[in-house]
Amino acid sequence: MPSITTVVAQALHTAATVLRRDALQDGMVFGELWERVLARNPKLRDDWAQAVRDSPPVADARFKNYVNRNASSLVRAGWLYRAQRRWQLTGIGADALDRFPDPVDFSLEAGRRYRKWERQQREVSSAVTALEQLPDSGSWVALEEVAAEFGIDPDVLGMVLRGTRPPGWYLVLGENGQAGTGLPLLPHECDQWLSLLHEEGILDVGRSSVDVVRALPDRRKPVQEALLAAKQPLGLEEMVAGEEAPRQLWIIRGVDALTGVPLIRGPWRDASMVTFHPGFPPPAAATHDLDSIRRAVETALPATATARREAVARELDAFLNRMRKGDIVLSTDGFETYVGVVDGPAVHSAERLERPVDWRNLNKPLDFLKDLPSGLSSVVQDADSQVLEATEYAETVLALIGDMPRTAPLPMGPAVLPDATAELAEALHMPDTTWLQDCVELLRATPQLIFHGPPGTGKTYTALALARHLAGASSATNVRLVQFHPAYSYEDFFEGIRPRLGAGQDGDTGGGLAYDLVRGPLRKLADEAERRPAEVFVLVVDEINRGHLAKIFGELYFLLEYRNEHVHLLYGSDDGRGFRLPPNLYILGTMNTVDRSVAYMDAAMRRRFSFMELHPDTPPVAGLLDSWLRRRAEERGEDAASYDDSHARLLDEINRLLADGSPGDRSFRVGPSYFMQDLAHTGDGALERLWKTQIIPLLTEHHWGDGTDVEFTYGLDKLREQLGILPPSGETSGSEDA
């Protein structure tokens, strides 16, 4: 029969192998990783069940939690970086897989390194705290000096920094300023280090390459000068000095009496604390025994039932006396779960008691249904008590967020939209920032804006470029694109019930259908924007007029105009508190004016959006193709004064013919984007291919049913002849037989 240690070792080795094979650069969410581990090594589940002698459902849950918890040894060895629920193999970990192909050897080596860290964890914690002061200092320090200053084995410090990545980890370098301090680096790790040192302004460009990253030698500072003395924080995996008792886990709940909003969303997170409201002026904090607290409660609540008085007394005793500095606290806001560490004794404030708390995951809350074991999540949902002890789950919570760095206070906003820049205008081939700045001003007044115009005018391209500019450095996570179509619904866009295959008794998918409330792109972005009010979030909705807007937006229709109001959601996921569209969430839409397959927006929806036109006849689109062709010629080293302007002339001729055919209708023209793609400029017959595959089909659809001979009117050969443009030598038009 396999031992627990052997099965866990095989699971961790398999997880590292899957990460290297399938998610080396971006890592993988633990839930998905766990499924792949079991699929790659299906024998693991049976071996574990035999080792622990539990029924399959119980064994499966314990197995997953046990492996998650034991992965801490890989983190401290620097082999694994674990942020929230995503696991990512490091270069050190990839090297370890090669050096220790046997799972047991792999696990034993990780355990040996973990124990080295464990013997020096207090010194490591002090060093990590001091390193938090390095970012934005414009300097770096040598690993050997930091290790010597705090009495740490340099190998241990280097591995811990790579595995946990606390603030300032990337500014601890080798003696010559080299990233990695001699430990193996993967290519994407080099890229990340290069980017971080560049942001700090200390990257040595002359001595850095794709596989070697170095900092400027003159930015190195002696460790005594660079690192000021700092108070050592209490880490989630440290015991309080002089205490032998295990750390306790407390579930604390509190709701604002006026608004019904959980306090973790307001004063608790803002002031780094938890509070307890017994319903009467609480007894003195010096009341150290339960009997005296019972007498105080009986005096304050004489008409209350005995059982209820006893419950209040026990909660007061827990908050005043049993809770200790260093204990773990857990609180929720809906499904979002926040974890912190008690940082001091209870104190009186008006009608309540307070305790300072160092919240650890304000930026990335856990989901108590998905992340916590079922037993703990059921305790969390017990609404009868303000203070509950759940110490039996303390190790599980430590495993979930034990290696998280301290959470820096979130900037509280409000978010500020940046002005348009010359760099943005140049990237969009616009002559200046005037048009773009008008867009920014409109968004500042009304946070919804639509770009409308004929096809090929760059509406989507411009919307995405502007969105990324507005979101700034966070654009990779704060900008999202969706595309509407006639079948798109509220459930697709915001949230809706989705079926999934339920798990059977043996862990397979034979348990029938289960139903989950799944968040859509707008709900996900709105939730993130609510959590990070100082950042700009932008949702880009392509082809916005192709969807049934009233159906898609539902009750959110009202919120587009009244951003400070709350509405109750269709599926009740606001838990009765109401939902709002955060003021730092902006919506950019695109609308193709030639699309006659759907009706235009109704008046109510139009009132909720500002509109900016992109049309070939007016700036900034007018003349854009000519400017782009001229710049392209310059970049290719050609004479800009005599560049080939035939593409621009052909486009102007198409739009002239369209205008003559429909003098009162500006809704259809052809935009320059068709002539700005590689298809129009690459290889022999490039323009002919573009004409045959894109221009003629587009014009045929436009003239459908009106009797126009599209080939005769818009044929490439004919337009060239009318404009006196000769085809390139050896080429003939392909439009004749299109």
Side-chain angles (χ1 to χ4, degrees):
M1 179 183 297
S3 68
I4 291 176
T5 302
T6 300
V7 180
V8 171
Q10 292 171 342
L12 289 174
H13 190 273
T14 303
T17 303
V18 170
L19 288 172
R20 181 164 69 171
R21 186 190 65 180
D22 298 336
L24 189 59
Q25 179 167 335
D26 299 322
M28 191 178 294
V29 173
F30 179 60
E32 179 184 356
L33 175 62
W34 184 244
E35 292 176 1
R36 297 199 187 194
V37 166
L38 296 179
R40 184 179 177 87
N41 193 348
K43 192 171 180 290
L44 285 172
R45 179 184 277 117
D46 293 336
D47 288 345
W48 173 263
Q50 291 179 33
V52 298
R53 298 182 180 180
D54 270 336
S55 61
V58 175
D60 285 352
R62 285 186 61 192
F63 190 18
K64 182 177 180 180
N65 288 334
Y66 203 84
V67 171
N68 194 5
R69 185 168 71 238
N70 278 268
S72 295
S73 62
L74 272 64
V75 172
R76 300 303 174 185
W79 297 357
L80 179 71
Y81 174 56
R82 198 170 52 176
Q84 289 78 56
R85 291 177 291 158
R86 184 171 292 274
W87 290 28
Q88 184 179 30
L89 195 68
T90 68
I92 315 174
D95 179 68
L97 277 177
D98 292 332
R99 292 190 296 111
F100 303 101
D102 181 77
V104 174
D105 291 342
F106 181 84
S107 184
L108 288 175
E109 177 63 16
R112 185 184 68 81
R113 296 179 182 225
Y114 182 90
R115 287 188 292 276
K116 287 183 67 175
W117 162 79
E118 202 171 32
R119 289 192 292 270
Q120 304 178 64
Q121 62 174 307
R122 190 165 297 279
E123 292 79 8
V124 171
S125 180
S126 297
V128 166
T129 302
L131 290 174
E132 292 181 5
Q133 303 172 62
L134 276 178
D136 301 322
S137 68
S139 61
W140 61 274
V141 293
L143 174 72
E144 296 281 349
E145 284 190 12
V146 177
E149 178 71 14
F150 291 92
I152 308 169
D153 183 336
D155 290 339
V156 170
L157 181 59
M159 292 184 299
V160 169
L161 292 180
R162 289 281 292 281
T164 60
R165 300 184 192 178
W169 67 274
Y170 53 90
L171 296 171
V172 182
L173 308 171
E175 285 290 328
N176 62 354
Q178 183 172 338
T181 61
L183 297 171
L185 281 173
L186 295 169
H188 69 270
E189 291 180 304
C190 283
D191 292 342
Q192 181 187 27
W193 226 309
L194 186 147
S195 176
L196 290 169
L197 295 183
H198 177 71
E199 289 178 7
E200 293 285 339
I202 62 174
L203 176 67
D204 190 341
V205 178
R207 296 196 303 157
S208 296
S209 62
V210 292
D211 55 356
V212 176
V213 179
R214 287 190 172 92
L216 292 166
D218 61 345
R219 296 298 181 87
R220 175 179 176 177
K221 283 190 176 181
V223 67
Q224 295 86 353
E225 179 182 346
L227 305 179
L228 303 176
K231 178 184 177 182
Q232 180 176 342
L234 195 61
L236 271 174
E237 290 181 331
E238 296 175 24
M239 293 295 293
V240 180
E243 292 186 358
E244 297 297 329
R247 298 172 70 184
Q248 303 169 102
L249 171 64
W250 301 94
I251 298 167
I252 313 288
R253 65 181 87 255
V255 176
D256 187 287
L258 295 177
T259 64
V261 173
L263 295 170
I264 186 62
R265 197 191 296 182
W268 287 8
R269 74 181 298 155
D270 296 343
S272 298
M273 67 177 178
V274 291
T275 58
F276 179 71
H277 300 252
F280 60 91
T287 307
H288 292 306
D289 62 274
L290 182 57
D291 286 340
S292 60
I293 291 177
R294 283 178 176 141
R295 288 192 294 271
V297 172
E298 186 175 357
T299 301
L301 304 173
T304 304
T306 303
R308 179 57 191 155
R309 288 204 305 265
E310 177 66 16
V312 172
R314 290 188 176 277
E315 290 180 357
L316 265 170
D317 181 52
F319 198 89
L320 275 171
N321 303 324
R322 295 173 56 210
M323 193 179 296
R324 303 186 305 267
K325 182 176 180 180
D327 281 354
I328 308 160
V329 294
L330 182 152
S331 191
T332 61
D333 176 6
F335 293 124
E336 295 171 350
T337 304
Y338 299 88
V339 180
V341 176
V342 177
D343 207 21
V347 295
H348 280 75
S349 176
E351 299 290 305
R352 68 189 188 192
L353 294 169
E354 299 177 359
R355 272 188 182 269
V357 168
D358 179 11
W359 295 106
R360 293 301 176 90
N361 66 330
L362 292 178
N363 297 355
K364 293 292 182 181
L366 302 169
D367 186 313
F368 80 80
L369 285 179
K370 296 178 181 178
D371 299 328
L372 302 184
S374 58
L376 179 55
S377 61
S378 64
V379 175
V380 170
Q381 295 178 80
D382 180 359
D384 293 334
S385 303
Q386 290 187 60
V387 182
L388 289 168
E389 184 182 357
T391 299
E392 65 270 27
Y393 296 102
E395 286 191 12
T396 302
V397 175
L398 287 175
L400 287 171
I401 70 165
D403 61 340
M404 276 189 176
R406 292 168 60 100
T407 301
L410 285 173
M412 295 312 294
V416 177
L417 287 182
D419 288 338
T421 62
E423 291 77 13
L424 177 63
E426 183 177 3
L428 292 171
H429 308 288
M430 295 184 181
D432 54 47
T433 62
T434 303
W435 189 89
L436 290 167
Q437 187 60 34
D438 286 345
C439 295
V440 174
E441 297 298 340
L442 287 172
L443 285 168
R444 287 169 177 167
T446 303
Q448 293 93 228
L449 174 65
I450 287 178
F451 296 146
H452 65 103
T457 48
K459 298 180 293 296
T460 304
Y461 185 84
T462 302
L464 283 171
L466 179 59
R468 288 164 183 152
H469 168 74
L470 297 175
S474 302
S475 61
T477 57
N478 292 16
V479 174
R480 188 162 299 178
L481 171 71
V482 298
Q483 188 174 62
F484 282 4
H485 52 78
Y488 206 68
S489 68
Y490 173 93
E491 288 73 15
D492 299 315
F493 186 49
F494 189 69
E495 65 180 9
I497 303 294
R498 290 285 183 270
R500 63 173 172 82
L501 291 176
Q505 290 187 349
D506 297 326
D508 57 17
T509 56
L513 286 177
Y515 295 88
D516 297 323
L517 183 61
V518 178
R519 296 185 303 163
L522 177 58
R523 181 65 191 269
K524 290 178 180 177
L525 209 60
D527 288 348
E528 284 299 314
E530 193 72 69
R531 279 195 288 268
R532 306 201 306 250
E535 298 180 23
V536 173
F537 290 77
V538 186
L539 180 68
V540 178
V541 182
D542 199 27
E543 305 283 4
I544 191 170
N545 60 319
R546 290 190 60 80
H548 190 310
L549 297 184
K551 173 185 174 184
I552 291 172
F553 280 93
E555 66 271 15
L556 309 177
Y557 213 80
F558 170 78
L559 297 181
L560 291 174
E561 186 170 7
Y562 300 99
R563 284 296 186 99
N564 292 323
E565 299 295 332
H566 291 71
V567 299
H568 294 295
L569 297 174
L570 177 64
Y571 290 98
S573 62
D574 57 313
D575 296 326
R577 301 191 304 267
F579 171 85
R580 70 166 186 166
L581 283 178
N584 56 322
L585 172 59
Y586 299 85
I587 298 176
L588 289 177
T590 71
M591 189 168 74
N592 202 336
T593 53
V594 75
D595 187 359
R596 295 186 172 92
S597 64
V598 291
Y600 288 129
M601 289 184 174
D602 59 44
M605 186 59 80
R606 290 184 67 88
R607 189 178 70 247
R608 288 159 167 80
F609 286 84
S610 299
F611 290 79
M612 287 292 282
E613 185 182 47
L614 287 165
H615 196 281
D617 293 348
T618 58
V621 182
L624 188 149
L625 179 57
D626 184 75
S627 172
W628 182 84
L629 290 168
R630 192 182 301 275
R631 184 186 303 177
R632 183 173 181 271
E634 292 175 352
E635 292 173 351
R636 292 160 62 94
E638 300 172 3
D639 184 1
S642 58
Y643 78 103
D644 182 7
D645 65 347
S646 58
H647 290 68
R649 293 169 61 197
L650 287 166
L651 176 63
D652 290 343
E653 181 64 12
I654 291 174
N655 286 328
R656 185 190 66 79
L657 292 171
L658 288 168
D660 289 347
S662 304
D665 183 8
R666 295 179 71 252
S667 64
F668 186 79
R669 298 289 189 274
V670 177
S673 298
Y674 289 99
F675 295 88
M676 296 169 67
Q677 54 184 317
D678 290 341
L679 179 63
H681 302 276
T682 304
D684 294 340
L687 189 58
E688 284 73 9
R689 282 191 295 273
L690 173 73
W691 218 265
K692 181 187 295 186
T693 60
Q694 296 189 19
I695 302 299
I696 292 298
L698 177 70
L699 296 170
T700 299
E701 182 180 355
H702 172 63
H703 285 293
W704 188 264
D706 67 4
T708 300
D709 186 336
V710 174
E711 285 290 344
F712 177 79
T713 306
Y714 301 100
L716 179 56
D717 282 348
K718 180 172 182 178
L719 296 190
R720 277 173 168 168
E721 181 180 349
Q722 289 177 187
L723 297 172
I725 298 173
L726 295 177
S729 178
E731 295 183 17
T732 59
S733 172
S735 62
E736 301 257 347
D737 54 8

